[in-house]
Amino acid sequence: MGKIKAAIIGSTGYTGAQLAALLYNHREVEIKYLTSKTYLNQKYSDIYQNFNSISDIICTEDELEEISKNVDVIFLALPHGIASKKVTKEVLYNSKVIDLGADFRLKDKETYEKWYNVEHFSPELLNEAVYGLPEIYGDKIKNAALIANPGCYTTCSILSIYPLVKNNLIDTNSIIIDAKSGVTGAGRGVNLGVHYCETNENIKAYKISSHRHTPEIEQELSFALNKKITLQFTPHLVPMNRGILTTSYAKLNENVTKKDIVDCYFEQYKNKKFVRILKEGIYPETKWTKGTNFIDIGIFTDTRTNNVIISAAIDNLMKGAAGQAVQNMNLMFNLDESEGLMTSGIFPA
Amino acid sequence: MGKIKAAIIGSTGYTGAQLAALLYNHREVEIKYLTSKTYLNQKYSDIYQNFNSISDIICTEDELEEISKNVDVIFLALPHGIASKKVTKEVLYNSKVIDLGADFRLKDKETYEKWYNVEHFSPELLNEAVYGLPEIYGDKIKNAALIANPGCYTTCSILSIYPLVKNNLIDTNSIIIDAKSGVTGAGRGVNLGVHYCETNENIKAYKISSHRHTPEIEQELSFALNKKITLQFTPHLVPMNRGILTTSYAKLNENVTKKDIVDCYFEQYKNKKFVRILKEGIYPETKWTKGTNFIDIGIFTDTRTNNVIISAAIDNLMKGAAGQAVQNMNLMFNLDESEGLMTSGIFPA
Amino acid sequence: MGKIKAAIIGSTGYTGAQLAALLYNHREVEIKYLTSKTYLNQKYSDIYQNFNSISDIICTEDELEEISKNVDVIFLALPHGIASKKVTKEVLYNSKVIDLGADFRLKDKETYEKWYNVEHFSPELLNEAVYGLPEIYGDKIKNAALIANPGCYTTCSILSIYPLVKNNLIDTNSIIIDAKSGVTGAGRGVNLGVHYCETNENIKAYKISSHRHTPEIEQELSFALNKKITLQFTPHLVPMNRGILTTSYAKLNENVTKKDIVDCYFEQYKNKKFVRILKEGIYPETKWTKGTNFIDIGIFTDTRTNNVIISAAIDNLMKGAAGQAVQNMNLMFNLDESEGLMTSGIFPA
Amino acid sequence: MGKIKAAIIGSTGYTGAQLAALLYNHREVEIKYLTSKTYLNQKYSDIYQNFNSISDIICTEDELEEISKNVDVIFLALPHGIASKKVTKEVLYNSKVIDLGADFRLKDKETYEKWYNVEHFSPELLNEAVYGLPEIYGDKIKNAALIANPGCYTTCSILSIYPLVKNNLIDTNSIIIDAKSGVTGAGRGVNLGVHYCETNENIKAYKISSHRHTPEIEQELSFALNKKITLQFTPHLVPMNRGILTTSYAKLNENVTKKDIVDCYFEQYKNKKFVRILKEGIYPETKWTKGTNFIDIGIFTDTRTNNVIISAAIDNLMKGAAGQAVQNMNLMFNLDESEGLMTSGIFPA
């Protein structure tokens, strides 16, 4: 069998560039298309000069139906509201699709339209799309035609507290997720908010109670417990390129012990290669996940307050985006889940 | 009347250096002593070269009783456990003392000894010491002989939620304070944890449920409500030199509206020069407080979760330490509270 | 006598903001106007929130002739090519003008037009304008109506090697200035080049052999020796907010000793408050000048290569722009040169 | 044939950790030993948590003769002065050795002892050792038993100007190399100089005219021209984790044109996979080489000064240390030079 032929649509954002880096290193993949509206007809390695001597591809247009005829898998790395127009039955007939954007993550069209403030153009695909969190939906992913790759904050948040919710260990009215992200999370677009001198040496919260990853986290936790969950999610911008750290809080249900909690995390993530439950007392740090597909999870309880506190770290462009997309691709093409992903990253990076 | 003669004991830590910078700029103060064990007999401006052409002082020993005879005010910037030995009745007879360390902050000797794991050597002074948070204890500070200058996280945390607690607007069992600090908060001592390459491009939580500022915050909020409060406090280390941001969460009591909350903040901090309640929708950012004595407070509510979320920012070495100490000194010497402190700082710094 | 009434034209760039911070702290100055095209009619403290509670001024238009009637001094912080149109005889009749831009720095119109690629609209003012480097032109500045405030790289470069050139100690064909700047030097405009993630964790050279500060450095050194000097100037962008470091190289003339060199620096900068010649073996670091008006100079020689190497550091927004402008203003209004400027800055900032 | 069995001696410094990351990803290598004095008997992945789930090795002692019996190649990542004691004839009989330290780089014992201020204990090996710069000594490396892996500054400096010297295009008395390095270059040892708050937001020169990489650069350039060359080398510390940028200057010999220069670079580095000569006008940036084994070279001339200016960038831990060591290993074991190294790295990292 030949290599998997791949296209990256919207390849010149940070997520697209991370994906290109992973796929060029992946021994079972051949990149056929890198598309870009902004840099149309330019050499990819002139835009991202780290690909000089690695890639010879010229950026082309995102003619999805045409491209789908020539590749095995299409990765979409586009702003929300575009994929729901572009992904057609025909595209899905020709090729598998992994959408790194938001359009197919929320199962409920109204919720999507309320939080994203745009119309959804292909609601008929919402049920077909599989939510691409392999630690939870691994089996479904293997047979999926269309993957909704989870958001960055979302991946870290859901994996952080999924075992607590699923095993009914916490008061789900008390969930608070305080999240911190590096600046790549804001994308490569230019505006005063990402000017070096405005971001460097500064931290701030933003979009308190209104960030779009909120309903996505709520959806998946609600599915876990089979009960509607509403929670508090607060993102912060941290002066570093990469990394997400979430600190999640909840009140423990009566008589739940630290041991109960730890046990259920080990049980939930047994055989999950990319979940690392840290030893007692070790704190997750984003630096140890940088450039890797791992999530590091630290479990803490406070007997004074009866809270459980979960601290978790990922690389937002890896397990939070492109790494997870490749993990999904591996599953869809019957490769080992970790093919091309089992790296320590580099440190200090 | 002459200038206020001042000594800084432990002047070569970051807090001491910030204090020296403020006092050299203060038109009513003359620095007489800068003491240092580590840099004994060295020129202060050889250690902190920004004082070259500003300061000619040679670092001396911290003979507190001797020094107290020759100055009007002594600032202590020492590790915990030392001030409680050094501050004697005689010292306090000779001079006013502002302790930037932890030894006199907790009114309860047992709580101090439990959280700090050292013996307290002058418990008889605990009642005499005034907690130096001018926005709350302004009147007492004016007549105090001994000031316990609050901690950095503490200042930001207490001022953030004091009005909510005092006015009984929240469920005090639900308080969570998620705090983020720049690296100066860890001091100037060298260890792998503050090595540039280990701290840069990284964020982590630390001391979950065990940070020593916790009982200090709880003490002051308990005083506000006259009821014992226990809360969750989580510090994080952020890759920047200065700044603290706290994101505080609590469940609102029934029928409390956003307007109730905003009103009570404006009422509480009426005429408090260094508290800036931000306009609706504006997020505090540490950069705007850098080099200043201000605390910026943003008030948010979430009707979906019934939480109030307070985001607040300070400069940990200014309002969180040396700036507040000067504010206390101003009050103790009948100067305008803001003398030498009403600066915009510089931006971008 | 009342306070000096001042206007800042183009007040919302980084230079303008630093100038506003200095003037609000200056006891002899009252700011009357802060103008801005971009933020017209907005409150200054809404743009730079560090001025919240400090400034109530609303940004207005830059009607220079009108403004000049109501103030004593006008600071221009504008892109090149604008001041040469706006500064008229009438403006100069009404008010003193300190131009922080490039339009009046080069005495030779053709040189200006060649390097800046725009027409100069008021060549008749070029001779009247005094080059505002107080350590060299202090006496002329006192009586000037129009000051051409030097560039940031320029200030650091000229002060670094002026004594060597003036005293004929080096081969002037061999001068190389390798300069490194923080990102504020690039201004507050948004483009991909100053996106946080593109600038952070990166260093690069730019504009090799073509940077516009080159002819300005050459002009002043040529004046010093009364002979045309051509030199190599290379700027680099460093991932930090503020600071310029220049490393300057030249071959020593025959029989010139290290002592000769050191002596002539001390002689040249005798009584110059803002020049700090560092002790033997101490290296300038930008951090020690941050927020101050000092230049730190370290003198090194290499007997193996017969080179002299001068390392020098400034804060590009202070001694390299706004601080120097205030120093010039002080001289023009018969104040002590260091009024409002003799600060240690804060560290770590 | 089985995998190459490898040992890293001194594996817990930054160079050792980078080497471990590369070797774990290398399909032809199996790591057998990771030694560490500081972390003896500790799990490698507890020290560098990015290796959690990747490495199970426990750090052992560096019994070199014993280890050499069980491996095919030994990498030494030790402070200078140790390898010259540890590498014996017996070790070299058993195993190939790649020394990433300085002990075997300088061919002249006296020069080594003068610059490094220690005795050299195995001068008899100096001639046997091959200087491990594959772009120059590729053929010798293939048959070497002992490789002296070049220094980080050295690699970037030599490759930058080697073609100019070898082809006699410049006045070799005029060479100046102004180098800038990220903080990993200073190693993982803790001292005030690498404290986050002392290094962040700061740039400084250090060791002017006395850095130990100077004689190493001079040696190789002298070999190229077969004439003793003395040059100026100045290192600077830049606030970033990784990366070296060198800006090199020299006077052109008469009648040398830009085209002559460009041609000789392309000729010199023809078929050298890891040398990327950038297009006219493109500046090297360290970010594009981060995590890769490439050197990016930009060629500039200035007709005003008759200087050639070469700007070049590498990752100091990759092409400047561990990457180059793996490149050497590949050659020594008849693998493709780029095996395990042909990566784009990740961006932004």
Side-chain angles (χ1 to χ4, degrees), chain A residues 150-280:
Chain A
C152 51
Y153 281 129
T154 328
T155 296
C156 198
S157 299
I158 295 172
L159 292 177
S160 280
I161 54 180
Y162 191 87
L164 295 173
V165 172
K166 191 171 164 64
N167 295 283
N168 208 5
L169 304 180
I170 56 171
D171 172 2
T172 53
N173 285 321
S174 69
I175 301 172
I176 287 168
I177 303 172
D178 190 283
K180 298 89 178 168
S181 174
V183 186
T184 48
R188 209 188 190 199
V190 296
N191 60 67
L192 191 59
V194 293
H195 188 301
Y196 181 82
C197 301
E198 305 287 323
T199 305
N200 187 32
E201 298 290 301
N202 186 44
I203 183 170
K204 65 174 174 185
Y206 65 99
K207 291 193 186 159
I208 288 182
S209 81
S210 62
H211 193 279
R212 285 159 171 168
H213 286 178
T214 311
E216 192 181 332
I217 304 167
E218 290 176 347
Q219 168 182 287
E220 293 303 316
L221 296 181
S222 298
F223 287 162
L225 189 60
N226 201 19
K227 185 189 130 187
K228 171 93 186 109
I229 289 177
T230 304
L231 54 78
Q232 197 68 46
F233 174 75
T234 310
H236 297 77
L237 190 65
V238 178
M240 58 186 194
N241 282 344
R242 287 185 180 226
I244 282 178
L245 188 83
T246 55
T247 315
S248 303
Y249 303 87
K251 288 283 174 202
L252 288 171
N253 285 337
E254 233 172 311
N255 297 325
V256 174
T257 67
K258 175 85 179 276
K259 187 177 178 310
D260 296 338
I261 300 169
V262 171
D263 286 351
C264 92
Y265 274 78
F266 275 104
E267 178 60 26
Q268 181 75 43
Y269 296 128
K270 197 173 46 185
N271 301 325
K272 304 303 180 195
K273 290 185 180 181
F274 293 116
V275 180
R276 302 191 292 205
I277 313 289
L278 303 190
K279 289 186 211 171
E280 174 84 29

Side-chain angles (χ1 to χ4, degrees), chain D residues 47-340:
Chain D
I47 303 157
Y48 286 105
Q49 295 179 44
N50 53 322
F51 288 96
N52 185 342
S53 301
I54 306 276
S55 169
D56 281 325
I57 292 183
I58 308 288
C59 292
T60 49
E61 297 222 42
D62 55 354
E63 302 289 2
L64 220 56
E65 301 207 343
E66 191 57 31
I67 288 173
S68 69
K69 294 175 195 159
N70 301 311
V71 301
D72 302 304
V73 61
I74 293 174
F75 294 91
L76 304 176
L78 298 167
H80 68 265
I82 299 178
S84 83
K85 275 189 205 158
K86 285 189 174 284
V87 178
T88 62
K89 291 277 177 195
E90 190 182 336
V91 167
L92 289 173
Y93 177 84
N94 292 332
S95 161
K96 292 180 186 292
V97 172
I98 298 174
D99 179 19
L100 289 89
D103 284 9
F104 300 104
R105 293 176 192 158
L106 296 176
K107 294 299 178 192
D108 184 61
K109 181 175 178 285
E110 282 67 41
T111 304
Y112 174 85
E113 294 184 339
K114 193 179 90 186
W115 285 82
Y116 285 88
N117 207 25
V118 290
E119 191 186 338
H120 197 293
F121 292 93
S122 46
E124 71 283 3
L125 293 177
L126 289 178
N127 269 330
E128 190 173 341
V130 173
Y131 192 71
L133 197 50
E135 285 72 20
I136 295 176
Y137 296 106
D139 290 337
K140 284 190 169 179
I141 291 163
K142 287 182 184 174
N143 303 306
L146 171 59
I147 292 287
N149 211 60
C152 50
Y153 281 130
T154 328
T155 296
C156 198
S157 299
I158 295 173
L159 293 177
S160 280
I161 54 180
Y162 192 87
L164 295 173
V165 173
K166 192 171 164 60
N167 295 282
N168 208 6
L169 303 181
I170 56 171
D171 172 2
T172 53
N173 286 321
S174 70
I175 301 173
I176 288 168
I177 303 172
D178 191 283
K180 298 89 178 168
S181 174
V183 186
T184 48
R188 208 188 192 201
V190 296
N191 60 66
L192 191 58
V194 294
H195 187 301
Y196 181 83
C197 302
E198 305 287 323
T199 304
N200 187 32
E201 298 290 303
N202 187 44
I203 183 170
K204 63 174 175 187
Y206 66 100
K207 291 191 186 160
I208 287 182
S209 81
S210 62
H211 193 279
R212 286 160 171 166
H213 286 178
T214 311
E216 192 181 332
I217 303 167
E218 290 177 346
Q219 167 181 288
E220 294 303 315
L221 295 181
S222 298
F223 287 162
L225 189 59
N226 200 19
K227 185 189 132 188
K228 170 93 187 109
I229 289 177
T230 304
L231 53 78
Q232 197 68 47
F233 174 75
T234 310
H236 297 77
L237 191 64
V238 178
M240 58 186 194
N241 282 343
R242 286 183 180 228
I244 281 178
L245 188 83
T246 55
T247 316
S248 303
Y249 303 87
K251 288 282 173 201
L252 288 172
N253 285 337
E254 233 172 308
N255 297 325
V256 174
T257 66
K258 176 85 180 274
K259 187 176 177 310
D260 296 337
I261 300 169
V262 172
D263 286 351
C264 94
Y265 274 78
F266 275 106
E267 179 60 24
Q268 182 76 43
Y269 296 127
K270 197 172 45 185
N271 302 324
K272 304 303 180 196
K273 290 186 178 178
F274 293 115
V275 180
R276 303 191 293 205
I277 314 287
L278 303 190
K279 288 185 211 171
E280 174 84 28
I282 304 295
Y283 290 93
E285 309 192 33
T286 56
K287 68 183 178 188
W288 301 125
T289 65
K290 194 170 179 180
T292 83
N293 200 47
F294 292 106
I295 177 170
D296 282 358
I297 297 179
I299 302 166
F300 302 86
T301 54
D302 186 339
T303 52
R304 298 170 71 254
T305 58
N306 200 35
N307 285 325
V308 57
I309 304 104
I310 306 296
S311 180
I314 62 168
D315 181 326
N316 57 305
L317 293 178
M318 289 289 294
K319 184 63 177 166
Q324 186 144 271
V326 171
Q327 189 182 355
N328 282 317
M329 180 200 73
N330 286 337
L331 289 170
M332 295 164 93
F333 288 88
N334 280 312
L335 300 172
D336 186 286
E337 181 180 33
S338 67
E339 183 63 46

Side-chain angles (χ1 to χ4, degrees), chain A residues 15 25 39 53 55 71 87 108-109 134 136 152-153 166 177 207 218 232 270 274 296 307 324 332 346:
Chain A
T15 298
N25 270 327
Y39 299 100
S53 300
S55 169
V71 299
V87 178
D108 184 61
K109 180 174 179 285
I136 295 176
C152 51
Y153 281 129
K166 191 171 164 64
I177 303 172
K207 291 193 186 159
E218 290 176 347
Q232 197 68 46
K270 197 173 46 185
F274 293 116
D296 282 357
N307 285 324
Q324 186 145 271
M332 294 164 93
I346 57 171

Side-chain angles (χ1 to χ4, degrees), chain C residues 101 104-107 126-138 140-141 144 146-155 158 213 216-217 219-220 223 324 328:
Chain C
F104 300 104
R105 293 177 191 158
L106 297 176
K107 292 301 176 191
L126 289 177
N127 268 331
E128 190 174 341
V130 173
Y131 191 69
L133 197 50
E135 285 73 18
I136 294 176
Y137 295 107
K140 282 189 170 179
I141 290 164
L146 170 60
I147 293 287
N149 211 60
C152 52
Y153 282 129
T154 327
T155 295
I158 295 173
H213 285 179
E216 193 181 330
I217 304 168
Q219 167 181 287
E220 293 304 316
F223 288 162
Q324 187 146 270
N328 282 317

